[in-house]
Amino acid sequence: MNDDLCSSVLESIKCRADILDVLNSSGGSDPSLTYDALLALYFQNSVAINKAVSHKVRAKLSRYHQRYLDGISLLELAKEANCPPFTFARLFLQHYLNDNTSSQKVNRYLKDPARLKDERLARDIAECFVADELCSPFGDVIRHSTGMEYELILQEKLTNLGVSFFTEVELRKAYYKTPDIYLKVPISIWGVTVNWIESKASFGTIENNTSNLEQFWGYQSRYGPGIVIYWFGFQEAIRSQMPDDVLVADDLPTEDIVVLSV
């Protein structure tokens, strides 16, 4: 996906419902505009916005507290603040208990709101938990399970090709920092020798690829050339960011793989 299209998409998608509008308006003109790619972009951008909006919420917590006492629910206040509900609940609870309350104690109440003596607050926090698919522990579970799913998809594709490999779990018995896949016998992709594969169940924007570059440089230094797969697509500009001999793709290019002899 080119940079201009990626920027346009991010400006157009303010909520999940907007994804279908973007797809319909594109009319299938660009194969990179898939539902999964747009959903991944929406999630990633929302998490980034969440970090930016948190400090604005902190500055107004006293006012929000008063409005809560006047009968406005935490979920309504979160929408007013344009803040993910669970993030808002965390910030509000920290303020409600005492700004000096330890994060461990706040987390205990967030995980089990029934511990709170204030029944209304407990219900509101639970409501924010359920309403937030991005920043709540529920969202973390979704991201983790999606990552695991695509690692298994990658392993299945390699197995079907007859390519032998070590998984990250196996490698970590001997090594500290490891890619998702280390090949027992190298393969060639597009004429480049590949020793390892990193699976990313996300969309490769310039921002999140930049945050991953240290990881990729480490793999290239330790294990040689490899390939990174952003399963939901990527901005074309990230190709120029990648270390030498590290390819990037949005799938395992099975038809272009040649297994090299030892």
Side-chain angles (χ1 to χ4, degrees), residues 91-110:
L91 295 171
F92 184 90
L93 182 59
Q94 179 84 49
H95 174 80
Y96 177 91
L97 293 173
N98 186 305
D99 286 334
N100 295 321
T101 303
S102 70
S103 58
Q104 291 87 349
K105 186 174 182 179
V106 172
N107 287 335
R108 282 199 298 271
Y109 284 131
L110 288 171

Side-chain angles (χ1 to χ4, degrees), residues 8 43 64 92 107 166-167 186 206 209 220 225:
S8 175
F43 276 164
Y64 289 134
F92 184 90
N107 287 335
F166 294 106
T167 66
I206 292 173
N209 189 66
Q220 192 258 11

Side-chain angles (χ1 to χ4, degrees), residues 2 6 54 63 70 73 76 78-80 82 85 90 108 118 156 179 200 231 233 235 250 258:
N2 65 52
C6 186
S54 292
R63 192 184 79 178
D70 291 339
S73 72
E76 290 176 290
K79 291 178 180 177
E80 178 185 309
N82 195 29
R90 177 187 295 278
R108 282 199 298 271
D118 187 327
E156 182 179 19
K200 297 292 186 186
W231 291 98
Q235 284 182 261
D250 59 7
V258 177

Side-chain angles (χ1 to χ4, degrees), residues 186-215:
I187 61 177
S188 174
I189 298 177
W190 306 321
V192 177
T193 300
V194 167
N195 294 327
W196 56 268
I197 306 173
E198 180 69 11
S199 173
K200 297 292 186 186
S202 60
F203 186 94
T205 62
I206 292 173
E207 289 75 19
N208 78 328
N209 189 66
T210 299
S211 68
N212 292 327
L213 283 177
E214 184 177 353
Q215 177 188 30

